[in-house]
Structure formats: structure tokens, C-alpha cells
């Protein structure tokens, strides 16, 4: 019996699914509706699919058209000079190579120069070419350290783009106010509305902006909703008071000492201890004074000096005695002392350190016989308490931004113990240096490198202003040259060499030409070290000259 196929135009249930099944099986195994087997079957299948497609689409109701995006905002800033725009395109096109040991070759690492280029462009107030905005946002998406500079340079159009692409949503979170325009400091109505109704990021940005313009207005705004805020939000809001911290903030911070959140209480106590005239600082001073005193019954032999006569009796110096607290009472806890010591730390030493770092540093001259900070730090400390005491003084000097105490704790950079008597780690030395002016900081690090070389200097170089001062830059180059001549393992200096590429003053490039030749390798040198050093110095010179060209391009009218 011959089976007759239904006409193509006849309504067939699940017609589209049938056509799909035929296409999957093949027309040799299953013929399409309205056609027999043979060479015409594939054409008939496609014709049937076309007609069914039209039928399916004709039955759909048209969707509501999407709202047309608003036009991108204008960027009033002057455009980049043409040479600088071309340079930006080259920097954005560079991609970091595979990571390995020391970087080889003489080509500069352009992505590492992008942050410096962005900083210079922002300082000149230039705006970006519109076609570079996607690449700028992609670069910032991959490197969080670039985001502040990229978003400042990219301007309002980058935020407009970020609203249209999920991959760039970080820009809305990272930008000041989450992309919302912050009200003027005098616009009380809009300020209150944003504070009451804004997203958390917008409120943090608003508080920070107000704090920079008028500390009192920001504090008063925070006080209006403080009692109803979540604990984690209170902590972030309180942290914004670090900017412009002053005596007028003390009543609010004292009130925060009774907060139900331990982290909020600790932050409030830390801020109050940074105000040497605060009541909390005075309470901490009383507690700390009870723990530290000069013990004249114990003496230590002073270090002899070249001027001491041979027959003269060796001088002795008094000793600092320490009596750590035996308990952490509720009043101490209210003032921010954490009662529970970390694992592996003794309770008494833990409490002692917190009291010392929170006490005003001016306490100690009065308590310890009118001595200067340098004289106090030089006193011996009994019963192995010196490390704990000096480490707490380091933290206090950083918190209170006390340059005199920082100098005393850092000591002479040429001291044979590679650091001052109070600095127990490179991290602490770096923090102490941060309290000094840029010139003094660079001078101290240059002296440290001249004496101790580069093996411990990487972290210290990171706190120095860029570009490095002449003496600091020359100290780094001289130390690298000494390491090269000694046949030192070159890859161990790759971090410092990378810093030099970004931080050395470009005017130093001419001094480095003599270092470009492959040196003779000493007998005990690492194999291939000479070639590596020559490549590294060539890359350094090329990078410095490129940075000089970048600066000239941005400085052109």
C-alpha cells in the first residue's frame, strides 16, 4: 500500500520538530514532507524549513523596543597630544609575557610603565581618546592597582560604558560615589537624601568627600544615623574619620568606645590613641607608666668610645625595668585593649605591647628622667623585654606620626646591625620611614644601601618617593654594579632592577652607558651571569629613555 504524505502547507503538529529530526537523520533515511527520496529531497527540506520559519515568526507578537541609551556625557578636558595618544595605544596593546625567573631581553615592560603614564596624564588634566576607553577598562579589570588612575583618566564616559557592559561593572563600584554625582558641600537637601537613600558605596564616598572638605560636617552627618547602622557599616564609616582626624572628633570617638561591636571599639580606641591630647591617651599613659621605669639599682656597662681614656673606669648606664600588667580589667578592654592573646603569644606581653603603643610618646621623656627619644632608645632593657618594648614604640611612632621617635628607632643607617635598635623587622623600618619627609627618607635608604647593599633594601625602596633622588638612585646603581662585578647570582636582583626601571630618574640614563657591555665573569660567578647583567642594564637604559620620551610627549602643548 502506498502512503501519501500530507501537503507541505497542511498544518502539522510539531512540524518544526519534524523538520529538525529529518535534518539530523538525513534525507536518505527520512524524506521531508511533500517530497520523495532523491536528489531533490534536501532542497525540499530547506524550502519547508524556510516556510515554517516564516509561519513561526508571523505568530509572534512584537516585543517592546528597548529604551534608547542616553548619549554619553561630554568630557570637557583637553585631548591628549597626538604623540601621547599614540604612546597610550602602544602601552595598552602590550600584554605581559609568561612569568618565570628573571625577565630576559632588552625590551621595556610597557604594562609596568602604564601606571606612571596615567599618573602624569592625570596631573596634566588630559582626557582620553574615546576609542581607547574599552582597552583602558579592560586593563583596569585585570589589574586592581590600576583602577583609581584609569577611572580618573577615563572620566565620565567610562562610567557610561560600564553601565552597558557587565564586564566593566567594577568601574561603578570603584568610582567615587559608584558613578553618582556627589552633591556640593553646601547642598544640604541632596546630601541628606543621598545619605539616607544611597547605596553603601555612595554613602562611603559621600562621607569621604565631606571629610576632605569639612571634617565637622562629615562627623555630624554620621552621628545622625550612627545608632541604626549595621556593625560592619559603622566600622567602614568610622575608618573614614582617619582623614583630618583632630581633637574635635574626640567626643564622638569616646562614645564609640561603648559600641556593641568589638571591631568598632578597637578602631575608635586606635583613632583616639593617635590624638596625644585625648582622654584615652592620658588613661593609657597612666597604665603604661606603671609598667616602665628606670631602675638605678641595676646598671649596664656602657659601650666604650675611642675618646675614653684607657685608665678611666668604664662608665655604666641605668637600665629600663619592665613590669607587664597581670590582668586585663574591663576598663582596659573598654579602651581598646584586646584581652585574648594570639596563639603562641603570652598574655602579659600582649597586654603590655598594646598599652605602650597607645600611650603618647611624650610620656617617656617625663617618665624616664627627661631623656630624649634617642637617649631612651639607647638604654638597655632588663629581662629580655627590649624587643617587645621597642616594637611597641615603633607602632606608636607610626600611629602618632612622630618623626623624632622614628629617627631614634631607625638609628644610623650605617649601623653594623643593619638597622636601628628599635626596628625589629624590615616592615617596621619601612613604616617608620613613612613618617619622615621624602628627602630624609631617601637619604636614610641611600645610606643603608651604601653600607648593607641591596639584599634587604627592596621593601625600604618601596616607601621612597618617585622618581628617586639623585643620591638614592646613585646608591642603587652603584650597589647593582658592585653585585655585577662580584659575579653575584643576577636573578636575585631582578626585583630591585624592576623597581629601578620604574623609579630611577630618567636623567640617570647617561651614567649607565658604561654598564652595557658584557663583563668578564669571575671564576666563581653564576654561569651566564654576565650576559644577564648586560641585558638587564640595557633594558634599564632603554626604559629610562622611554620614560623621558613619555614625559616630553605629555608636556607638549
Amino acid at each position: 500500500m502506498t502512503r501519501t504524505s500530507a501537503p507541505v502547507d497542511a498544518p502539522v503538529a510539531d512540524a518544526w520538530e519534524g523538520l529538525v529530526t529529518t535534518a539530523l537523520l538525513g534525507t536518505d533515511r527520512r524524506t521531508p514532507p511533500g517530497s520523495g527520496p532523491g536528489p531533490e529531497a534536501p532542497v525540499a527540506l530547506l524550502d519547508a524549513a524556510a516556510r515554517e520559519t516564516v509561519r513561526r515568526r508571523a505568530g509572534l507578537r512584537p516585543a517592546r523596543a528597548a529604551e534608547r541609551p542616553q548619549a554619553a556625557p561630554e568630557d570637557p578636558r583637553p585631548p591628549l597630544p597626538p604623540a601621547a595618544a599614540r604612546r597610550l595605544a602602544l602601552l595598552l596593546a602590550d600584554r605581559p609575557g609568561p612569568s618565570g625567573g628573571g625577565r630576559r631581553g632588552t625590551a621595556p615592560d610597557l604594562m609596568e610603565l602604564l601606571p606612571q603614564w596615567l599618573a602624569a596624564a592625570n596631573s596634566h588634566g588630559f582626557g582620553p581618546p574615546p576609542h581607547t576607553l574599552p582597552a583602558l577598562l579592560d586593563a583596569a579589570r585585570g589589574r586592581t592597582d590600576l583602577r583609581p588612575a584609569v577611572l580618573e583618566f577615563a572620566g565620565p564616559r567610562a562610567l557610561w560604558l560600564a553601565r552597558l557592559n557587565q564586564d566593566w561593572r567594577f568601574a561603578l563600584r570603584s568610582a567615587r560615589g559608584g558613578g553618582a554625582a556627589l552633591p556640593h558641600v553646601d547642598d544640604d537637601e541632596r546630601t541628606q537624601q543621598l545619605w539616607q537613600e544611597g547605596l553603601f558605596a555612595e554613602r562611603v564616598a559621600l562621607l569621604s568627600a565631606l571629610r576632605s572638605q569639612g571634617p565637622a560636617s562629615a562627623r555630624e552627618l554620621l552621628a545622625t544615623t550612627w545608632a541604626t547602622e549595621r556593625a560592619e557599616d559603622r566600622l567602614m564609616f568610622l575608618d573614614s574619620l582617619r582623614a583630618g582626624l583632630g581633637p574635635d572628633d574626640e567626643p564622638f570617638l569616646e562614645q564609640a568606645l561603648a559600641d556593641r561591636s568589638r571591631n568598632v571599639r578597637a578602631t575608635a580606641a586606635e583613632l583616639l590613641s593617635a590624638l596625644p591630647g585625648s582622654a584615652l591617651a592620658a588613661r593609657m599613659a597612666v597604665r603604661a607608666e606603671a609598667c616602665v621605669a628606670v631602675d638605678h639599682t641595676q646598671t649596664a656597662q656602657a659601650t666604650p668610645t675611642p675618646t675614653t681614656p684607657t685608665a678611666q673606669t668604664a662608665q655604666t648606664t641605668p637600665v629600663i625595668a619592665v613590669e607587664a600588667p597581670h590582668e586585663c580589667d574591663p576598663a582596659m578592654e573598654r579602651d581598646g585593649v584586646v584581652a585574648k592573646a594570639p596563639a603562641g603569644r603570652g598574655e602579659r606581653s600582649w597586654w603590655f605591647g598594646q598599652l605602650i603603643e597607645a600611650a603618647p610618646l611624650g610620656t617617656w621623656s617625663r617618665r624616664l628622667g627627661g631623656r630624649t627619644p634617642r637617649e631612651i632608645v639607647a638604654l638597655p632593657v632588663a629581662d629580655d623585654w627590649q624587643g617587645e618594648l621597642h616594637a611597641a614604640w615603633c607602632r606608636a611612632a607610626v600611629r602618632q606620626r612622630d618623626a623624632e621617635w622614628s629617627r631614634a628607632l631607625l638609628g644610623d643607617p650605617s649601623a653594623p646591625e643593619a638597622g636601628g635598635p628599635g626596628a625589629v623587622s624590615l616592615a617596621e623600618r619601612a613604616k617608620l620611614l613613612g613618617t619622615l619627609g621624602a628627602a630624609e627618607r631617601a637619604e636614610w635608604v641611600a645610606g643603608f644601601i651604601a653600607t648593607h647593599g641591596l639584599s634587604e633594601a627592596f621593601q625600604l625602596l618601596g616607601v621612597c618617593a618617585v622618581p628617586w633622588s639623585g643620591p638614592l638612585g646613585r646608591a642603587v646603581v652603584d650597589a647593582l654594579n658592585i653585585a655585577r662585578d662580584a659575579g653575584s647570582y643576577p636573578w636575585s636582583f631582578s626585583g630591585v632592577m624592576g623597581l629601578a626601571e620604574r623609579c630611577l630618574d630618567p636623567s640617570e640614563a647617561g651614567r649607565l652607558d658604561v654598564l652595557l657591555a658584557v663583563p668578564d665573569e669571575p671564576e666563581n660567578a653564576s654561569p651566564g651571569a654576565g650576559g644577564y647583567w648586560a641585558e638587564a642594564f640595557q633594558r634599564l637604559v632603554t626604559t629610562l629613555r622611554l620614560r623621558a620620551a613619555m614625559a616630553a610627549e605629555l608636556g607638549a602643548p
Side-chain angles (χ1 to χ4, degrees), residues 4 50 61 88 209 225 258 306 329-330 340 365 380 413 451 454 485 492 549 552 556:
T4 304
R61 293 183 178 181
L88 174 61
T225 61
D329 57 43
K340 186 175 181 181
S365 180
T451 303
L454 292 168
D485 291 344
S492 61

Side-chain angles (χ1 to χ4, degrees), residues 13 110 169 210 285 290 366 412 433 435 511:
L110 299 185
R169 287 284 175 171
L210 290 176
R366 179 182 69 254
D412 191 332
L433 285 168
T435 68
R511 294 182 58 247

Side-chain angles (χ1 to χ4, degrees), residues 223-291:
T224 60
T225 61
W226 178 259
T228 60
E229 302 287 357
R230 298 183 307 166
E232 55 267 32
D233 294 351
R234 292 199 304 277
L235 183 63
M236 291 293 293
F237 292 147
L238 194 63
D239 201 59
S240 69
L241 299 186
R242 294 181 189 276
L245 183 67
D248 290 343
D249 297 315
E250 183 181 354
F252 181 83
L253 294 174
E254 272 285 344
Q255 186 180 14
L257 287 176
D259 195 270
R260 55 188 179 274
S261 166
R262 184 182 67 181
N263 291 333
V264 172
R265 294 195 302 270
T267 301
E270 180 189 344
L271 294 174
L272 283 167
S273 66
L275 298 172
S278 67
L280 178 136
R283 295 193 296 269
M284 288 298 196
V286 172
R287 296 176 179 125
E289 285 179 340
C291 298

Side-chain angles (χ1 to χ4, degrees), residues 447-514:
F448 181 91
I449 292 172
T451 303
H452 305 291
L454 292 168
S455 60
E456 293 187 345
F458 185 83
Q459 198 165 0
L460 304 180
L461 286 167
V463 301
C464 294
V466 177
W468 290 336
S469 67
L472 176 57
R474 287 189 287 275
V476 171
V477 172
D478 290 345
L480 287 171
N481 191 22
I482 291 171
R484 182 192 71 153
D485 291 344
S488 300
Y489 192 65
W491 293 273
S492 61
F493 294 92
S494 60
V496 174
M497 189 66 79
L499 267 182
E501 291 173 19
R502 300 189 295 274
C503 303
L504 198 62
D505 194 312
S507 64
E508 297 288 325
R511 294 182 58 247
L512 302 176
D513 288 337
V514 297

Side-chain angles (χ1 to χ4, degrees), residues 133-146:
L133 289 174
L136 281 165
L137 287 168
D138 281 339
R141 181 190 177 200
R143 285 182 56 177
T144 56
D145 62 305
L146 284 177

